[in-house]
Amino acid sequence: MSFDLSVISNKNIIVAVTGGIAAYKSAILVRRLKDYGFNVRVVMTHGAQAFITPLTFQALSGNPVHTELLDPEAEAGMGHIELARWADLVLVAPTSCDTLAKFAAGLADDLLSTLYLATKAPVWVAPAMNQQMWAAKATQRNLATLVEDGVHVVMPEAGAQACGDVGLGRMPEPEDLARQVKDYFHKAQRAIAEKFGLLASKHVVITAGPTREAIDPVRYISNHSTGKMGFALAAACYAAGARVTLIAGPVSLDTPNGVRRINVSSAVQMLEHSMQMLEEGCDIFIATAAVADYRVAEVAEHKIKKAGNELNVSLIKNPDIVATIAQQQKRPFMVGFAAETRNVEEYAAGKLIAKKLDMIACNDVSRNDIGFASDENAMIVFFAEQYHLQKRELEKASKQEIAQQLVEAVADALHQNATVS
């Protein structure tokens, strides 16, 4: 059982808009939630329609806007029940003073108040009102009731208000609200993954990207690796419940959510940090990095000036990181990668044995449609003999999909090893 924390497109959000000048922010909120991949439906009170039209929200959400309690187009004319069952979260933004009072009193005289009582989904309110109305004892009493009932209150911000007053009562910025919704689902999914995920409680260390071996202060030896496969694997391992440390060469990629990242440049630096992770405790080591085989014997202190038609540079062999880790007494489960241009399977199977790996994934980087610069990949996976697992061919797919399949392969091998032991 694994969970991809980056995929939230199956989550259904109802954005309920009530009367108030902050209703214009709700249009941006719907757009941001859609950008994150949520399914969004909008409910509007009659007061909200005085500030912004339903057509705006229909265009932004891609769904019809719900405004009436008794909807002749809904199943059995009971639109509030359908919406209540559909929602994974109800976000009322902005929430007027009147709506807070209705919710607290349990009234059900319009679509929104009835939806509030009919849904089992979490309900969030983002109050927006005049600062004096916010401070009123009745409002605070209603808020206390809602909190006791399990409603999540997104506190208003302070600042200048449309009425000219200054104080608490401004609806939070839509980007912040959308981010809070995203984080809520990520945390909920992460909690499940940590308990039931394929790699629950495991510490996974992943090397990713190229290394740079300096020639002088401005030149270096490197390769075409972008780190995309390693970063996708880091996200997939985290989604499967693991604690993930990503040792990354110089790449321009954002750190996956929840992953600890250590930036390095050279092969020697990457090995040093890998050994340190081994001392801290590592269950699975995945070596996706394209480590330079050689480095310059003596790095020039200053920029080498152009002179003559030739430049001779002496190279020495870099340490083999994955083989070094595999030789340690307390070795983790070892996963290697082989990027080849010919005889792919033959070379990969040889590396599996020679470097004493548990598993190796190989791909043909001579293909133009997969590999270093592509967002897609196709791989063949081999396992060490003791796991009694057949090789697996992972057909061309996005690197995120390939990463999830590789996590499943690792989990299968770990399970097989535990069963045999």
Side-chain angles (χ1 to χ4, degrees):
M1 184 178 187
S2 66
F3 299 86
D4 181 0
L5 300 185
S6 67
V7 178
I8 51 181
S9 58
N10 63 331
K11 297 300 181 183
N12 302 325
I13 311 296
I14 289 178
V15 174
V17 187
T18 69
I21 188 60
Y24 81 91
K25 290 185 175 181
S26 301
I28 305 171
L29 172 62
V30 169
R31 180 63 178 269
R32 293 295 172 261
L33 289 170
K34 291 286 291 183
D35 288 343
Y36 281 130
F38 290 108
N39 302 317
V40 181
R41 292 188 181 181
V42 177
V43 169
M44 298 182 72
T45 65
H46 290 169
Q49 294 172 65
F51 291 90
I52 191 168
T53 68
L55 185 59
T56 299
F57 287 109
Q58 180 173 323
L60 291 170
S61 69
N63 289 309
V65 174
H66 305 270
T67 59
E68 299 298 332
L69 173 59
L70 301 177
D71 183 357
E73 296 184 3
E75 180 185 348
M78 304 181 73
H80 60 290
I81 301 299
E82 293 175 39
L83 286 169
R85 292 170 177 166
W86 179 83
D88 292 306
L89 186 144
V90 178
L91 172 58
V92 189
T95 312
S96 66
C97 191
D98 178 66
T99 300
L100 289 176
K102 282 185 177 181
F103 285 1
L107 296 179
D109 62 349
D110 64 2
L111 174 59
L112 177 55
S113 57
T114 308
L115 171 64
Y116 169 72
L117 294 177
T119 189
K120 292 182 179 179
V123 176
W124 289 19
V125 295
M129 63 195 71
N130 168 267
Q131 55 88 21
Q132 188 56 49
M133 294 176 70
W134 169 256
K137 290 182 179 179
T139 302
Q140 295 303 311
R141 188 164 58 245
N142 290 334
L143 282 166
T145 298
L146 292 178
V147 170
E148 186 177 345
D149 289 345
V151 173
H152 175 68
V153 179
V154 183
M155 295 297 289
E157 298 176 351
Q161 299 183 320
C163 61
D165 286 358
V166 177
L168 279 173
R170 290 170 56 91
M171 176 177 148
E173 293 305 309
E175 292 83 2
D176 292 337
L177 275 175
R179 194 177 303 111
Q180 288 184 49
V181 172
K182 180 198 70 170
D183 290 346
Y184 166 79
F185 283 105
H186 278 175
K187 288 177 181 177
Q189 211 166 18
R190 175 62 180 173
I192 298 172
E194 286 181 335
K195 188 173 183 179
F196 300 109
L198 289 174
L199 302 182
S201 77
K202 303 294 185 185
H203 180 203
V204 179
V205 176
I206 301 173
T207 64
T211 62
R212 287 180 180 174
E213 309 302 331
I215 298 173
D216 62 21
V218 298
R219 300 181 180 91
Y220 55 82
I221 300 170
S222 192
N223 56 63
H224 295 296
S225 174
T226 61
K228 289 180 179 179
M229 192 67 247
F231 276 62
L233 262 169
C237 289
Y238 180 79
R243 178 166 60 93
V244 182
T245 301
L246 179 62
I247 305 174
V251 295
S252 55
L253 296 173
D254 292 332
T255 306
N257 183 56
V259 171
R260 175 191 179 190
R261 178 174 179 173
I262 299 172
N263 291 321
V264 299
S265 181
S266 69
V268 171
Q269 291 173 343
M270 187 170 281
L271 176 59
E272 288 175 353
H273 284 283
S274 297
M275 293 297 290
Q276 183 179 338
M277 289 302 102
L278 207 62
E279 293 177 7
E280 292 184 11
C282 170
D283 301 297
I284 302 165
F285 189 92
I286 304 177
T288 72
V291 181
D293 292 327
Y294 294 89
R295 68 182 187 275
V296 175
E298 293 186 17
V299 178
E301 185 178 354
H302 301 287
K303 178 182 176 182
I304 300 172
K305 296 299 182 180
K306 182 167 59 176
N309 295 324
E310 294 183 1
L311 172 65
N312 295 316
V313 178
S314 178
L315 302 177
I316 58 175
K317 197 171 184 180
N318 262 328
D320 188 322
I321 296 175
V322 68
T324 302
I325 300 296
Q327 290 170 4
Q328 303 304 306
Q329 185 174 3
K330 293 184 178 179
R331 66 190 295 278
F333 181 89
M334 297 296 303
V335 181
F337 273 66
E340 303 290 351
T341 57
R342 59 191 178 93
N343 301 331
V344 177
E345 293 191 39
E346 179 184 344
Y347 287 148
K351 280 185 179 180
L352 177 71
I353 297 171
K355 298 188 179 185
K356 299 181 180 179
L357 306 179
D358 298 286
M359 171 179 148
I360 192 166
C362 60
N363 64 330
D364 185 351
V365 293
S366 67
R367 290 175 54 178
N368 294 325
D369 59 333
I370 62 170
F372 284 149
S374 175
D375 290 327
E376 296 182 311
N377 217 340
M379 310 201 87
I380 300 175
V381 178
F382 294 92
F383 302 90
E385 286 187 7
Q386 67 264 29
Y387 294 102
H388 306 291
L389 293 171
Q390 299 294 322
K391 75 174 184 181
R392 298 187 184 183
E393 295 188 17
L394 310 184
E395 296 183 0
K396 180 181 174 181
S398 72
K399 287 184 175 177
Q400 287 73 23
E401 293 177 83
I402 294 293
Q404 291 174 11
Q405 293 180 63
L406 288 172
V407 165
E408 292 171 4
V410 170
D412 287 346
L414 291 173
H415 175 74
Q416 184 76 4
N417 189 46
T419 303
V420 172
S421 300

